[in-house]
Amino acid sequence: MQKDIFIGEVQSGHYDGQKIELKGWVNRSRGSKKIWFIVLRDSTGRIQCVAKKDTVGEDIFDALRGALIESSLIIRGIVNVDERSEGGHELVIESAEVVGPVNPESPFPITESAMENADGGETEFLLDNRHLYLRTGRMTQMLKIRSSVFGAIHSYFRDRDFTEYQAPCFVAGAVEGGSTLFEVPYFGRKAYLTQSWQLYAEAAMPALERLYTIAPSFRAEKSRTRRHLTEFWHAEMEIAWGGNSEVMQHGENLVRHISRTLIDERESELSNLGRDLDLIARYADNPYPRMRYDEAIETLQGMGVAVEWGQDLDYSKEKVLTQDFEVPHFLTHYPKIAKPFYHRPDPDDPKYVLCHDLLAPEGYGEIIGGGERTWSEKEILERIDEENTPREPYEFYIDVRRYGGVPHGGFGLGVDRVCSWLSGADHIREVIPFPRDSRRVTP
Ligand code: ATP
Ligand code: MG
């Protein structure tokens, strides 16, 4: 039962005056005993369809009248240009059939008023019914924007000869610190869900030199925030023979490429969501300034924020720091004590590490974390011991340095965070179909 014609094409004027067949779902309906209007929706848009009892006959007319919201239909009819209809077209029904009816005793539960209150009192209800909420306009638009973001990441790396590479999800050691590790029973032993692809990417760096992935990462984030999921999508890259500045340049170019792709592919979805396209164009067209950690601390202290040198900057600080940013900014050269062992100490001043975070404006905060890796055997052993990290789970990682180590580095970009920022979402869960947080693994 193939589908040949999509509503979006009809609304673009490709079938004016023609007899066509549409397949879709009832979005709204109303009418009288003689004439019945159905707004049909599919994945590409909506169109008003009109049935007259005299034309379609009593059986079809009654079936259409009985088709509740979200019933699936096949409709045949003539496309009329009609200025007053949504999208400028209307379908005059000649025949129709109900494919999948909806039981009147359990009508589609997602009502317009529940959706208007999506971020208020109805939040939990809509999350419980996430599988149905996905069909509503807002989620559909978010998912299309998300798809373009994924596509842009793939095209950025593939056009530059990066190899896509996969790492295991079950691992033995932490990348980002023990407090957010998910422990999994593993045949009498303990395993963990991966927090990042990075360590395994470094292992393949001498083989592939330029590699990337888009994969889920898992972090047991106990506090629920607007920017953390327990399962999020992580775009990561690693390059051989490159340092902090080359990696940063890729991060900047990638985020600008994603912004440009959204303008090219998702203008109408962004506009429907109320997003200002000039902002996205600004993120696509302008360079992203670099600022050292020390300068950020001074700026914050100058603004009266209580922050001490050596602290990692949490969201409360990022938010104040970024409030006047017009484009994303890089923060570089964090103190060594604030970062994990794999960050390379700066040879010019080993109090600092050669790293960067990219902070998005409009209050969205960190979207990328990256930097140069500690790449000699001597330095990595010093750093691991300094942090009292057990060596054993990292033996494979240390081996990368024992056999022809080279300068290298990479970054991780939070794909959901980028979707959230560029679509102007209020909450990260708005941009992922089935969000996971500390309280929810269903549906
Ligand atoms: P944060 O301080 O915001 O929790 P992080 O410094 O722990 O983030 P990194 O380890 O640097 O994050 O991970 C790289 C990127 O992955 C981050 O810049 C962010 O965009 C994204 N990210 C990290 N944790 C999460 C999460 N729990 N949910 C969604 N995205 C995340
Ligand atoms: Mg980080």
Side-chain angles (χ1 to χ4, degrees), residues 420-439:
S420 185
W421 162 53
L422 291 175
S423 64
D426 294 325
H427 198 295
I428 194 164
R429 67 173 165 240
E430 283 194 83
V431 303
I432 184 163
F434 292 98
R436 299 297 184 233
D437 65 27
S438 58
R439 292 211 324 231

Side-chain angles (χ1 to χ4, degrees), residues 1-2 20-26 38 40 49 51 56-68 70-77 91 93-102:
M1 195 195 261
Q2 194 178 308
I20 60 163
E21 179 182 270
L22 287 177
K23 299 185 169 98
W25 290 261
V26 177
I38 289 177
L40 193 74
C49 307
V56 299
E58 200 159 329
D59 289 351
I60 290 178
F61 191 80
D62 289 346
L64 289 176
R65 273 189 81 181
L68 301 183
E70 288 304 313
S71 305
S72 51
L73 304 181
I74 298 177
I75 295 179
R76 289 164 217 97
L91 192 80
I93 303 179
E94 292 186 344
S95 68
E97 61 198 84
V98 179
V99 179
V102 170

Side-chain angles (χ1 to χ4, degrees), residues 176 219 312 339 356-357 366 368-370:
E176 281 301 314
R219 302 206 184 165
D312 205 357
K339 292 287 175 187
H356 60 270
D357 281 359
E366 182 185 327
I368 282 183

Side-chain angles (χ1 to χ4, degrees), residues 132-432:
L132 301 175
Y133 185 49
L134 295 182
R135 306 175 183 206
T136 62
R138 187 172 171 84
M139 268 318 289
T140 309
Q141 276 151 2
M142 288 293 190
L143 293 178
K144 288 186 179 187
I145 290 170
R146 183 179 172 92
S147 167
S148 287
V149 171
F150 274 71
I153 296 169
H154 282 295
S155 69
Y156 178 85
F157 287 117
R158 285 170 177 264
D159 288 349
R160 288 162 186 79
D161 284 329
F162 279 71
T163 303
E164 188 176 358
Y165 162 85
Q166 289 82 27
C169 284
F170 288 125
V171 296
V175 186
E176 281 301 314
S179 67
T180 63
L181 266 183
F182 271 115
E183 198 177 298
V184 195
Y186 199 82
F187 305 107
R189 272 173 294 157
K190 274 183 204 167
Y192 305 98
L193 293 180
T194 186
Q195 295 170 308
S196 162
W197 158 99
Q198 178 197 324
L199 303 189
Y200 290 90
E202 287 186 59
M205 172 275 299
L208 299 170
E209 294 189 282
R210 277 171 293 180
L211 51 159
Y212 84 100
T213 200
I214 312 180
S217 281
F218 304 90
R219 302 206 184 165
E221 313 275 2
K222 281 155 208 108
S223 51
R224 299 167 83 221
T225 75
R226 289 174 179 267
R227 25 203 318 278
H228 289 94
L229 297 161
T230 52
E231 176 181 336
F232 69 97
W233 285 78
H234 209 170
E236 297 186 77
M237 63 81 87
E238 198 70 31
I239 45 169
W241 313 107
N244 200 38
S245 51
E246 287 89 349
V247 173
M248 240 187 309
Q249 196 58 54
H250 275 296
E252 170 175 340
N253 292 348
L254 172 61
V255 174
R256 290 175 60 180
H257 175 71
I258 296 171
S259 307
R260 173 56 53 202
T261 304
L262 288 190
I263 293 171
D264 292 344
E265 294 180 5
R266 297 296 171 200
E267 192 183 331
S268 75
E269 285 81 2
L270 288 164
S271 308
N272 287 340
L273 292 169
R275 197 66 173 127
D276 179 358
L277 283 155
D278 290 342
L279 273 181
I280 316 287
R282 190 199 287 163
Y283 305 147
D285 294 340
N286 292 289
Y288 301 170
R290 279 95 169 120
M291 181 192 253
R292 285 181 71 111
Y293 169 90
D294 282 6
E295 198 186 331
I297 293 293
E298 276 165 32
T299 309
L300 283 167
Q301 287 170 342
M303 292 164 111
V305 177
V307 57
E308 277 170 39
W309 190 92
Q311 280 182 300
D312 205 357
L313 298 180
D314 63 16
Y315 178 61
S316 64
K317 318 253 172 4
E318 279 175 21
K319 196 173 169 190
V320 180
L321 186 68
T322 56
Q323 70 192 16
D324 299 323
F325 288 1
E326 303 229 301
V327 293
H329 282 48
F330 283 103
L331 279 198
T332 68
H333 298 84
Y334 280 64
K336 187 171 79 175
I337 49 172
K339 292 287 175 187
F341 66 84
Y342 56 76
H343 287 284
R344 182 177 180 215
D346 184 352
D348 292 337
D349 186 350
K351 274 206 311 289
Y352 301 93
V353 286
L354 297 171
C355 74
H356 60 270
D357 281 359
L358 181 62
L359 307 185
E362 301 181 77
Y364 286 90
E366 182 185 327
I367 50 173
I368 282 183
E372 200 163 318
R373 317 303 185 194
T374 309
W375 62 270
S376 77
E377 181 186 3
K378 181 170 158 289
E379 260 184 34
I380 200 81
L381 291 176
E382 277 169 18
R383 291 286 284 125
I384 287 181
D385 294 347
E386 220 170 66
E387 287 195 355
N388 284 322
T389 301
R391 287 186 186 188
E392 202 260 334
Y394 300 103
E395 275 303 324
F396 81 93
Y397 188 72
I398 302 165
D399 267 355
V400 176
R401 281 87 185 146
R402 290 187 180 117
Y403 301 99
V406 296
H408 66 282
F411 67 72
L413 168 146
V415 183
D416 318 278
R417 280 210 193 154
V418 166
C419 291
S420 185
W421 162 53
L422 291 175
S423 64
D426 294 325
H427 198 295
I428 194 164
R429 67 173 165 240
E430 283 194 83
V431 303
I432 184 163

